[in-house]
Amino acid sequence: MYTTIYLHGSLRKKYGKEFRCVAHSTKDCVRFLEVNFKDFRQFILDETEKGTFFKVRHGNYEIGEDELSDPIAKHRRVHI
């Protein structure tokens, strides 16, 4: 089953709007992005250092850091 990843803000400007991949958790989605964009991790770190913080939602539910390994909700949509 595919998961759709929607990027927003600076991530969307740099990498694009929407991606589909096989992922069971948000960590899997991030790994997918890291594999496809070699500078993805560094970009996140650089933006965070500048004061940008990223929210992650499964559908309409905002997840916390402790939930990044949890299964993605039935809607199969991850917003970053």
Side-chain angles (χ1 to χ4, degrees):
M1 180 177 267
Y2 284 98
T3 296
T4 304
I5 305 167
Y6 298 94
L7 298 181
H8 301 275
S10 59
L11 292 174
R12 182 176 179 167
K13 286 179 186 175
K14 184 164 178 73
Y15 300 108
K17 177 182 177 181
E18 183 178 320
F19 303 91
R20 288 177 47 125
C21 67
V22 175
H24 302 288
S25 69
T26 302
K27 279 189 175 184
D28 292 341
C29 293
V30 172
R31 275 190 224 112
F32 168 83
L33 293 167
E34 289 174 337
V35 166
N36 286 282
F37 303 106
K38 290 183 179 190
D39 66 335
F40 186 80
R41 177 182 288 268
Q42 190 60 50
F43 183 77
I44 294 283
L45 294 172
D46 292 345
E47 289 295 297
T48 301
E49 193 172 293
K50 293 176 190 175
T52 301
F53 294 94
F54 298 93
K55 293 181 182 181
V56 178
R57 290 184 293 121
H58 292 178
N60 292 324
Y61 175 73
E62 188 174 318
I63 68 166
E65 271 188 71
D66 59 327
E67 298 172 289
L68 293 174
S69 296
D70 291 354
I72 297 170
K74 64 181 178 179
H75 298 48
R76 311 297 306 171
R77 289 184 226 130
V78 174
H79 296 263
I80 304 172

Coordinates of all heavy atoms in Angstrom, one line a residue:
M1 N 0.8 -1.2 0.0 CA 0.0 0.0 0.0 C 0.9 1.3 0.0 O 1.8 1.3 0.7 CB -0.9 0.0 1.2 CG -1.8 1.2 1.3 SD -2.9 1.1 2.7 CE -4.3 0.4 1.9
Y2 N 0.6 2.2 -0.9 CA 1.4 3.4 -1.0 C 1.0 4.4 0.0 O -0.2 4.6 0.4 CB 1.2 4.0 -2.4 CG 2.0 3.3 -3.4 CD1 1.3 2.3 -4.2 CD2 3.3 3.5 -3.6 CE1 2.1 1.7 -5.2 CE2 4.0 2.9 -4.6 CZ 3.4 1.9 -5.4 OH 4.1 1.2 -6.3
T3 N 2.0 5.2 0.4 CA 1.8 6.4 1.3 C 2.1 7.6 0.4 O 3.1 7.6 -0.3 CB 2.7 6.4 2.5 OG1 2.3 5.2 3.3 CG2 2.6 7.6 3.3
T4 N 1.3 8.7 0.6 CA 1.6 9.9 -0.1 C 2.2 10.9 0.8 O 1.7 11.1 1.9 CB 0.3 10.5 -0.8 OG1 -0.3 9.5 -1.6 CG2 0.6 11.7 -1.6
I5 N 3.3 11.4 0.5 CA 4.0 12.4 1.3 C 3.8 13.8 0.6 O 4.1 14.0 -0.6 CB 5.6 12.1 1.3 CG1 5.9 10.7 1.8 CG2 6.3 13.2 2.2 CD1 7.3 10.3 1.5
Y6 N 3.3 14.7 1.4 CA 3.1 16.1 0.9 C 4.1 17.0 1.7 O 4.1 17.0 2.9 CB 1.7 16.6 1.3 CG 0.6 15.8 0.6 CD1 0.0 14.7 1.2 CD2 0.2 16.1 -0.7 CE1 -1.0 14.0 0.6 CE2 -0.8 15.4 -1.3 CZ -1.4 14.3 -0.7 OH -2.4 13.6 -1.3
L7 N 4.9 17.7 0.9 CA 5.8 18.6 1.5 C 5.2 20.0 1.4 O 4.5 20.4 0.5 CB 7.2 18.6 0.7 CG 7.9 17.3 0.8 CD1 9.2 17.4 0.0 CD2 8.2 16.8 2.2
H8 N 5.6 20.8 2.4 CA 5.1 22.2 2.5 C 6.2 23.2 2.7 O 7.3 22.8 3.1 CB 4.0 22.3 3.6 CG 2.9 21.4 3.5 ND1 1.8 21.7 2.7 CD2 2.7 20.1 3.9 CE1 0.9 20.7 2.7 NE2 1.4 19.7 3.5
G9 N 6.0 24.4 2.5 CA 6.9 25.5 2.8 C 8.2 25.4 2.1 O 8.3 25.1 0.9
S10 N 9.3 25.5 2.8 CA 10.7 25.5 2.1 C 11.0 24.1 1.6 O 11.7 24.0 0.5 CB 11.8 25.9 3.1 OG 11.8 25.1 4.3
L11 N 10.5 23.1 2.2 CA 10.7 21.7 1.6 C 10.0 21.6 0.2 O 10.6 21.0 -0.7 CB 10.2 20.7 2.6 CG 10.9 20.5 3.9 CD1 10.2 19.5 4.8 CD2 12.3 20.1 3.6
R12 N 8.8 22.1 0.1 CA 8.1 22.1 -1.1 C 8.8 22.9 -2.2 O 8.9 22.4 -3.4 CB 6.7 22.6 -0.9 CG 5.8 22.5 -2.1 CD 4.4 23.0 -1.8 NE 3.5 22.9 -3.0 CZ 2.2 23.0 -2.9 NH1 1.6 23.2 -1.8 NH2 1.5 23.0 -4.0
K13 N 9.3 24.0 -1.8 CA 10.0 24.9 -2.8 C 11.2 24.2 -3.4 O 11.5 24.3 -4.5 CB 10.4 26.2 -2.2 CG 9.2 27.1 -2.0 CD 9.7 28.4 -1.4 CE 8.5 29.3 -1.0 NZ 8.9 30.5 -0.3
K14 N 11.9 23.5 -2.5 CA 13.2 22.9 -2.9 C 13.0 21.5 -3.5 O 13.7 21.2 -4.5 CB 14.1 22.8 -1.7 CG 15.5 22.2 -2.0 CD 16.5 22.5 -0.9 CE 17.8 21.9 -1.2 NZ 18.6 22.7 -2.2
Y15 N 12.1 20.7 -3.0 CA 12.0 19.3 -3.5 C 10.8 18.9 -4.3 O 10.7 17.9 -4.9 CB 12.2 18.4 -2.3 CG 13.5 18.6 -1.6 CD1 13.5 19.2 -0.3 CD2 14.7 18.2 -2.1 CE1 14.7 19.4 0.3 CE2 15.9 18.4 -1.5 CZ 15.9 19.0 -0.3 OH 17.1 19.2 0.4
G16 N 9.7 19.7 -4.2 CA 8.5 19.4 -4.8 C 7.3 19.2 -3.9 O 7.5 19.2 -2.7
K17 N 6.2 19.0 -4.4 CA 4.9 19.0 -3.7 C 4.6 17.6 -3.1 O 4.1 17.5 -2.0 CB 3.8 19.5 -4.5 CG 2.5 19.5 -3.9 CD 1.4 20.0 -4.9 CE 0.0 19.9 -4.2 NZ -1.0 20.3 -5.1
E18 N 4.7 16.6 -3.9 CA 4.0 15.3 -3.6 C 4.8 14.1 -4.0 O 5.3 14.1 -5.2 CB 2.6 15.3 -4.2 CG 1.8 14.1 -3.9 CD 0.4 14.3 -4.6 OE1 -0.1 15.4 -4.6 OE2 -0.1 13.3 -5.1
F19 N 4.9 13.1 -3.2 CA 5.6 11.9 -3.5 C 4.8 10.7 -3.0 O 4.1 10.8 -2.0 CB 7.0 11.9 -2.9 CG 7.9 13.0 -3.2 CD1 7.8 14.2 -2.5 CD2 8.7 13.0 -4.3 CE1 8.6 15.3 -2.8 CE2 9.4 14.1 -4.7 CZ 9.4 15.3 -3.9
R20 N 5.0 9.6 -3.7 CA 4.3 8.3 -3.3 C 5.4 7.3 -3.1 O 6.3 7.1 -3.9 CB 3.3 7.8 -4.4 CG 2.1 8.7 -4.4 CD 1.2 8.3 -5.5 NE 1.0 6.8 -5.5 CZ -0.2 6.2 -5.4 NH1 -1.3 6.9 -5.4 NH2 -0.3 4.9 -5.4
C21 N 5.2 6.5 -2.0 CA 6.2 5.5 -1.7 C 5.6 4.4 -0.8 O 4.5 4.7 -0.3 CB 7.4 6.1 -1.0 SG 7.1 6.7 0.6
V22 N 6.2 3.3 -0.7 CA 5.8 2.3 0.3 C 6.5 2.6 1.6 O 7.7 2.6 1.7 CB 6.2 0.9 -0.2 CG1 5.8 -0.1 0.8 CG2 5.5 0.6 -1.5
A23 N 5.7 3.0 2.6 CA 6.2 3.4 3.9 C 5.2 3.0 4.9 O 4.0 3.1 4.8 CB 6.4 4.9 3.9
H24 N 5.7 2.5 6.1 CA 4.8 2.1 7.2 C 4.9 3.1 8.3 O 4.0 3.0 9.2 CB 5.2 0.7 7.6 CG 5.2 -0.3 6.5 ND1 4.0 -0.7 6.0 CD2 6.1 -0.9 5.8 CE1 4.2 -1.6 5.1 NE2 5.5 -1.7 4.9
S25 N 5.9 4.0 8.3 CA 6.0 5.0 9.4 C 6.5 6.3 8.8 O 7.0 6.3 7.6 CB 7.0 4.5 10.5 OG 8.3 4.5 10.0
T26 N 6.5 7.3 9.6 CA 7.1 8.6 9.1 C 8.6 8.5 8.9 O 9.1 9.1 8.0 CB 6.8 9.7 10.2 OG1 5.3 9.8 10.3 CG2 7.3 11.1 9.7
K27 N 9.2 7.7 9.8 CA 10.7 7.5 9.6 C 11.0 6.9 8.2 O 11.9 7.2 7.5 CB 11.2 6.6 10.7 CG 11.5 7.3 11.9 CD 12.3 6.4 12.9 CE 12.7 7.2 14.1 NZ 13.5 6.5 15.0
D28 N 10.1 5.9 7.7 CA 10.3 5.4 6.4 C 10.1 6.5 5.3 O 10.8 6.4 4.3 CB 9.2 4.3 6.1 CG 9.4 3.0 7.0 OD1 10.5 2.8 7.5 OD2 8.4 2.3 7.1
C29 N 9.2 7.4 5.5 CA 9.0 8.5 4.6 C 10.2 9.4 4.5 O 10.7 9.7 3.4 CB 7.8 9.3 5.0 SG 6.2 8.5 4.8
V30 N 10.8 9.7 5.6 CA 12.0 10.5 5.7 C 13.2 9.8 5.0 O 13.9 10.3 4.2 CB 12.4 10.9 7.1 CG1 13.7 11.6 7.2 CG2 11.3 11.8 7.7
R31 N 13.3 8.5 5.3 CA 14.3 7.7 4.6 C 14.2 7.7 3.1 O 15.1 7.8 2.3 CB 14.3 6.2 5.1 CG 15.1 6.0 6.3 CD 15.3 4.6 6.7 NE 15.0 4.4 8.1 CZ 14.0 3.8 8.7 NH1 13.1 3.2 7.9 NH2 13.8 3.8 10.0
F32 N 12.9 7.6 2.6 CA 12.7 7.7 1.2 C 13.2 9.0 0.6 O 13.8 9.1 -0.4 CB 11.1 7.5 0.9 CG 10.7 7.9 -0.4 CD1 10.8 7.0 -1.5 CD2 10.2 9.2 -0.7 CE1 10.4 7.3 -2.8 CE2 9.8 9.5 -2.0 CZ 9.9 8.6 -3.0
L33 N 12.9 10.1 1.3 CA 13.3 11.4 0.9 C 14.8 11.6 0.9 O 15.4 12.1 0.0 CB 12.6 12.5 1.7 CG 11.1 12.6 1.5 CD1 10.5 13.5 2.6 CD2 10.8 13.1 0.1
E34 N 15.5 11.0 1.9 CA 16.9 11.1 2.0 C 17.6 10.3 0.9 O 18.6 10.7 0.4 CB 17.4 10.5 3.4 CG 17.1 11.4 4.6 CD 17.4 10.8 5.9 OE1 17.5 9.5 6.0 OE2 17.6 11.5 6.9
V35 N 17.0 9.2 0.5 CA 17.6 8.4 -0.5 C 17.5 9.1 -1.9 O 18.4 9.0 -2.7 CB 16.9 7.0 -0.6 CG1 17.3 6.2 -1.9 CG2 17.4 6.1 0.6
N36 N 16.4 9.7 -2.1 CA 16.1 10.4 -3.4 C 16.7 11.8 -3.5 O 16.9 12.3 -4.6 CB 14.6 10.4 -3.6 CG 14.1 9.1 -4.0 OD1 14.3 8.7 -5.1 ND2 13.5 8.4 -3.1
F37 N 17.0 12.4 -2.3 CA 17.6 13.7 -2.3 C 18.8 13.7 -1.4 O 18.6 13.8 -0.1 CB 16.6 14.8 -1.9 CG 15.4 14.8 -2.8 CD1 14.2 14.3 -2.3 CD2 15.4 15.4 -4.1 CE1 13.0 14.3 -3.1 CE2 14.3 15.4 -4.9 CZ 13.1 14.9 -4.4
K38 N 20.0 13.7 -1.9 CA 21.2 13.5 -1.1 C 21.4 14.6 0.0 O 21.9 14.4 1.0 CB 22.4 13.4 -1.9 CG 22.5 12.2 -2.7 CD 23.8 12.1 -3.5 CE 23.8 10.8 -4.3 NZ 25.1 10.6 -4.9
D39 N 20.9 15.8 -0.3 CA 21.0 16.9 0.7 C 19.8 17.1 1.6 O 19.8 18.1 2.3 CB 21.3 18.2 -0.1 CG 20.2 18.7 -0.9 OD1 19.3 17.8 -1.3 OD2 20.1 19.9 -1.2
F40 N 18.9 16.2 1.6 CA 17.6 16.4 2.3 C 17.9 16.5 3.8 O 17.4 17.5 4.5 CB 16.6 15.2 2.1 CG 15.3 15.4 2.7 CD1 14.4 16.2 2.2 CD2 15.0 14.8 3.9 CE1 13.1 16.4 2.8 CE2 13.8 15.0 4.5 CZ 12.9 15.8 3.9
R41 N 18.7 15.6 4.4 CA 19.0 15.6 5.8 C 19.7 16.9 6.2 O 19.3 17.6 7.2 CB 19.8 14.4 6.3 CG 20.2 14.5 7.7 CD 21.1 13.3 8.1 NE 20.3 12.1 8.1 CZ 19.7 11.6 9.2 NH1 19.8 12.2 10.3 NH2 19.1 10.4 9.2
Q42 N 20.7 17.3 5.4 CA 21.4 18.5 5.7 C 20.5 19.8 5.6 O 20.7 20.7 6.4 CB 22.7 18.6 4.8 CG 23.6 19.8 5.2 CD 24.2 19.5 6.6 OE1 24.6 18.5 6.9 NE2 24.1 20.6 7.4
F43 N 19.6 19.8 4.6 CA 18.7 20.9 4.5 C 17.8 21.0 5.7 O 17.6 22.1 6.2 CB 17.8 20.7 3.2 CG 16.9 21.9 3.0 CD1 17.4 23.0 2.4 CD2 15.6 21.8 3.3 CE1 16.6 24.1 2.2 CE2 14.7 22.8 3.1 CZ 15.2 24.0 2.5
I44 N 17.3 19.9 6.2 CA 16.5 19.9 7.4 C 17.3 20.5 8.6 O 16.9 21.3 9.4 CB 16.0 18.5 7.8 CG1 15.0 18.0 6.7 CG2 15.4 18.5 9.2 CD1 13.6 18.6 6.8
L45 N 18.5 20.0 8.8 CA 19.4 20.4 9.9 C 19.7 21.9 9.7 O 19.7 22.7 10.7 CB 20.7 19.6 9.9 CG 20.6 18.2 10.2 CD1 21.9 17.4 10.0 CD2 20.0 18.0 11.6
D46 N 20.0 22.4 8.5 CA 20.3 23.8 8.3 C 19.1 24.7 8.6 O 19.2 25.7 9.2 CB 20.8 24.1 6.9 CG 22.2 23.4 6.6 OD1 22.9 23.1 7.5 OD2 22.5 23.3 5.4
E47 N 18.0 24.3 8.1 CA 16.7 25.1 8.4 C 16.4 25.1 9.9 O 16.0 26.1 10.4 CB 15.6 24.5 7.6 CG 15.7 24.7 6.1 CD 15.6 26.2 5.7 OE1 14.5 26.8 6.0 OE2 16.6 26.7 5.2
T48 N 16.6 24.0 10.6 CA 16.3 23.9 12.0 C 17.3 24.9 12.7 O 16.9 25.6 13.7 CB 16.4 22.5 12.5 OG1 15.5 21.7 11.8 CG2 16.1 22.4 14.0
E49 N 18.5 24.9 12.3 CA 19.5 25.8 12.9 C 19.1 27.3 12.7 O 19.4 28.1 13.6 CB 20.9 25.5 12.3 CG 22.0 26.1 13.1 CD 23.4 25.7 12.6 OE1 23.7 24.5 12.7 OE2 24.1 26.5 12.0
K50 N 18.5 27.6 11.6 CA 18.0 28.9 11.4 C 16.7 29.3 12.1 O 16.3 30.4 12.1 CB 17.7 29.1 9.9 CG 18.9 29.0 9.0 CD 18.5 29.1 7.5 CE 19.6 28.8 6.6 NZ 19.1 28.8 5.2
G51 N 16.1 28.3 12.8 CA 14.9 28.6 13.6 C 13.7 28.0 13.0 O 12.6 28.2 13.5
T52 N 13.8 27.3 11.9 CA 12.6 26.7 11.2 C 12.3 25.4 11.9 O 13.2 24.6 12.0 CB 12.8 26.5 9.7 OG1 13.1 27.8 9.1 CG2 11.6 25.9 9.0
F53 N 11.1 25.2 12.3 CA 10.7 23.9 12.8 C 9.7 23.2 11.9 O 8.8 23.9 11.4 CB 10.2 24.1 14.3 CG 11.2 24.6 15.2 CD1 11.4 25.9 15.5 CD2 12.1 23.7 15.8 CE1 12.4 26.3 16.3 CE2 13.1 24.1 16.6 CZ 13.2 25.4 16.9
F54 N 9.7 21.9 11.8 CA 8.9 21.2 10.9 C 7.8 20.4 11.7 O 8.1 19.8 12.7 CB 9.7 20.2 10.1 CG 10.7 21.0 9.2 CD1 12.0 21.2 9.6 CD2 10.3 21.5 7.9 CE1 12.9 21.9 8.8 CE2 11.2 22.2 7.2 CZ 12.5 22.4 7.6
K55 N 6.6 20.5 11.3 CA 5.5 19.8 11.9 C 5.2 18.6 10.9 O 5.4 18.7 9.7 CB 4.2 20.6 12.0 CG 4.3 21.7 13.0 CD 3.0 22.5 13.0 CE 3.1 23.6 14.0 NZ 1.8 24.4 14.0
V56 N 4.8 17.5 11.5 CA 4.4 16.3 10.7 C 3.0 15.9 11.1 O 2.6 15.8 12.3 CB 5.4 15.1 11.0 CG1 5.0 13.9 10.2 CG2 6.8 15.5 10.7
R57 N 2.2 15.7 10.1 CA 0.8 15.3 10.3 C 0.5 14.0 9.5 O 1.0 13.8 8.4 CB -0.2 16.4 9.8 CG -0.2 17.6 10.7 CD -1.3 18.6 10.2 NE -0.9 19.2 8.9 CZ -1.7 19.1 7.8 NH1 -2.9 18.5 7.9 NH2 -1.3 19.6 6.7
H58 N -0.3 13.2 10.1 CA -0.9 12.0 9.4 C -2.3 12.4 9.2 O -3.1 12.5 10.2 CB -0.8 10.8 10.3 CG 0.6 10.2 10.5 ND1 0.8 9.1 11.2 CD2 1.8 10.6 10.0 CE1 2.1 8.9 11.2 NE2 2.7 9.8 10.5
G59 N -2.7 12.7 8.0 CA -4.0 13.3 7.8 C -4.1 14.6 8.5 O -3.4 15.5 8.3
N60 N -5.1 14.7 9.4 CA -5.2 15.9 10.2 C -4.6 15.8 11.6 O -4.7 16.8 12.4 CB -6.7 16.3 10.4 CG -7.3 16.7 9.0 OD1 -6.7 17.3 8.2 ND2 -8.6 16.2 8.8
Y61 N -4.0 14.7 11.9 CA -3.4 14.5 13.3 C -1.9 14.9 13.3 O -1.2 14.3 12.5 CB -3.6 13.0 13.7 CG -3.0 12.7 15.0 CD1 -3.5 13.2 16.2 CD2 -1.8 11.9 15.0 CE1 -2.9 12.8 17.4 CE2 -1.2 11.6 16.2 CZ -1.7 12.1 17.4 OH -1.1 11.8 18.6
E62 N -1.6 15.8 14.1 CA -0.2 16.2 14.2 C 0.5 15.3 15.2 O 0.1 15.0 16.3 CB -0.1 17.7 14.8 CG 1.4 18.2 14.7 CD 1.4 19.6 15.1 OE1 0.6 20.4 14.7 OE2 2.4 20.0 15.9
I63 N 1.7 14.7 14.7 CA 2.4 13.7 15.5 C 3.6 14.4 16.2 O 4.1 15.4 15.7 CB 2.8 12.5 14.7 CG1 3.9 12.9 13.7 CG2 1.6 11.8 14.0 CD1 4.6 11.7 13.1
G64 N 4.0 13.8 17.3 CA 5.2 14.2 18.0 C 6.4 13.4 17.7 O 6.3 12.4 17.0
E65 N 7.5 13.8 18.2 CA 8.8 13.1 17.9 C 8.7 11.7 18.3 O 9.3 10.8 17.6 CB 10.0 13.8 18.6 CG 10.6 14.9 17.8 CD 11.9 15.4 18.4 OE1 12.9 14.7 18.4 OE2 11.8 16.5 18.9
D66 N 8.0 11.4 19.4 CA 8.0 10.0 19.9 C 7.1 9.1 19.1 O 7.0 7.9 19.3 CB 7.5 10.1 21.4 CG 6.1 10.7 21.6 OD1 5.8 11.7 20.8 OD2 5.4 10.3 22.5
E67 N 6.4 9.7 18.1 CA 5.5 8.9 17.2 C 6.0 8.7 15.8 O 5.3 8.2 15.0 CB 4.1 9.6 17.2 CG 3.4 9.8 18.5 CD 2.2 10.6 18.4 OE1 2.4 11.9 18.2 OE2 1.1 10.1 18.5
L68 N 7.3 9.1 15.6 CA 7.8 9.0 14.2 C 7.9 7.6 13.7 O 7.9 7.3 12.5 CB 9.2 9.7 14.1 CG 9.2 11.2 14.3 CD1 10.6 11.7 14.3 CD2 8.4 11.9 13.2
S69 N 8.1 6.6 14.6 CA 8.2 5.2 14.2 C 6.8 4.5 14.2 O 6.7 3.3 13.8 CB 9.1 4.5 15.2 OG 10.4 5.0 15.1
D70 N 5.8 5.2 14.7 CA 4.5 4.6 14.8 C 3.9 4.4 13.3 O 4.2 5.1 12.4 CB 3.5 5.5 15.5 CG 3.8 5.5 17.0 OD1 4.7 4.8 17.5 OD2 3.2 6.3 17.7
P71 N 3.0 3.4 13.2 CA 2.4 3.2 11.9 C 1.6 4.4 11.4 O 1.0 5.1 12.2 CB 1.4 2.0 12.1 CG 2.0 1.3 13.3 CD 2.6 2.4 14.2
I72 N 1.6 4.6 10.1 CA 0.9 5.7 9.5 C -0.6 5.4 9.6 O -1.0 4.3 9.3 CB 1.3 6.0 8.1 CG1 2.8 6.4 8.1 CG2 0.5 7.0 7.4 CD1 3.4 6.4 6.7
A73 N -1.4 6.4 9.9 CA -2.8 6.3 10.0 C -3.4 5.7 8.7 O -2.8 5.8 7.7 CB -3.5 7.6 10.4
K74 N -4.6 5.2 8.8 CA -5.3 4.6 7.7 C -5.4 5.5 6.4 O -5.5 5.0 5.3 CB -6.7 4.1 8.1 CG -7.6 5.3 8.5 CD -9.0 4.7 8.9 CE -9.8 5.9 9.3 NZ -11.1 5.5 9.7
H75 N -5.3 6.8 6.6 CA -5.4 7.7 5.4 C -4.2 7.6 4.5 O -4.3 8.0 3.3 CB -5.7 9.1 5.9 CG -6.9 9.3 6.6 ND1 -7.3 8.4 7.7 CD2 -7.9 10.2 6.5 CE1 -8.4 8.8 8.2 NE2 -8.8 9.9 7.5
R76 N -3.1 7.2 5.0 CA -1.8 7.0 4.3 C -1.3 8.3 3.7 O -0.8 8.3 2.6 CB -2.0 6.0 3.1 CG -2.6 4.6 3.5 CD -1.9 3.8 4.5 NE -0.5 3.5 4.1 CZ 0.3 2.9 4.9 NH1 0.0 2.6 6.1 NH2 1.6 2.7 4.6
R77 N -1.5 9.4 4.4 CA -1.0 10.7 4.0 C -0.2 11.3 5.1 O -0.6 11.4 6.2 CB -2.2 11.6 3.7 CG -3.0 11.3 2.5 CD -4.1 12.3 2.2 NE -5.3 11.5 1.9 CZ -6.4 11.7 2.4 NH1 -6.6 12.7 3.3 NH2 -7.4 10.9 2.1
V78 N 1.0 11.7 4.7 CA 2.0 12.3 5.6 C 2.3 13.7 5.1 O 2.7 13.9 3.9 CB 3.3 11.5 5.8 CG1 4.3 12.2 6.6 CG2 2.9 10.1 6.3
H79 N 2.1 14.7 5.9 CA 2.4 16.1 5.6 C 3.6 16.5 6.4 O 3.6 16.4 7.6 CB 1.2 17.0 5.9 CG 0.0 16.7 5.1 ND1 -0.3 17.4 4.0 CD2 -1.0 15.8 5.2 CE1 -1.4 17.0 3.4 NE2 -1.9 16.0 4.2
I80 N 4.6 17.1 5.8 CA 5.7 17.6 6.5 C 5.9 19.1 6.1 O 5.9 19.4 4.9 CB 7.0 16.9 6.1 CG1 6.8 15.4 6.4 CG2 8.2 17.4 6.9 CD1 8.0 14.5 5.9

